[in-house]
Amino acid sequence: MTEDVIDARRVVATDKALALIAELEAEHGSLLFHQSGGCCDGSSPMCYPAGEFRTGDNDILLGWVGGTPVYIGRAQGEAWKHTQLILDVVPGRGGMFSLENGRELRFLSRGRVFSPSEYDVVKAEIATTCR
């Protein structure tokens, strides 16, 4: 018996996250997200104006949500390669340098482990981006 592929995108966003992204884009223009494996604020997805956060060789592009690129640190991307990142919004204070700060809302990353058939779909992408 084979499983159906439900959604093999490496990153998705909830409706609440998409609404906040649209609000921030209207205010700041193009955006960029970065998810690192650091502690404290570095564990949260951070939202920046495009061009104000420089990605490097240790970052990989997970995908796009609401027209906004989402990057992750390479080591964290490798650790989470079997997991879909779900960008959500919850009440609370945003990361100090993240654009949602001061709105009493913050972005939050949730995870969902890919099914074996979904993971088969993303293996080629992972082989290309997580070297």
Side-chain angles (χ1 to χ4, degrees), residues 22-87:
E23 183 180 320
L24 292 170
E25 278 184 328
E27 191 174 320
H28 298 281
S30 297
L31 306 174
L32 172 145
F33 279 96
H34 188 271
Q35 174 75 49
S36 76
C39 70
C40 307
D41 282 349
S43 301
S44 299
M46 301 292 281
C47 182
Y48 302 100
E52 290 201 17
F53 181 89
R54 296 182 116 193
T55 58
D57 291 342
N58 289 320
D59 298 305
I60 58 172
L61 176 65
L62 277 184
W64 297 76
V65 293
T68 299
V70 179
Y71 290 86
I72 192 168
R74 186 171 302 281
Q76 193 73 3
E78 178 62 26
W80 287 6
K81 69 183 178 183
H82 298 91
T83 306
Q84 183 179 62
L85 187 77
I86 303 164
L87 193 62

Side-chain angles (χ1 to χ4, degrees), residues 14-25:
T14 65
D15 290 341
K16 287 181 184 179
L18 292 172
L20 185 53
I21 290 167
E23 183 180 320
L24 292 170
E25 278 184 328

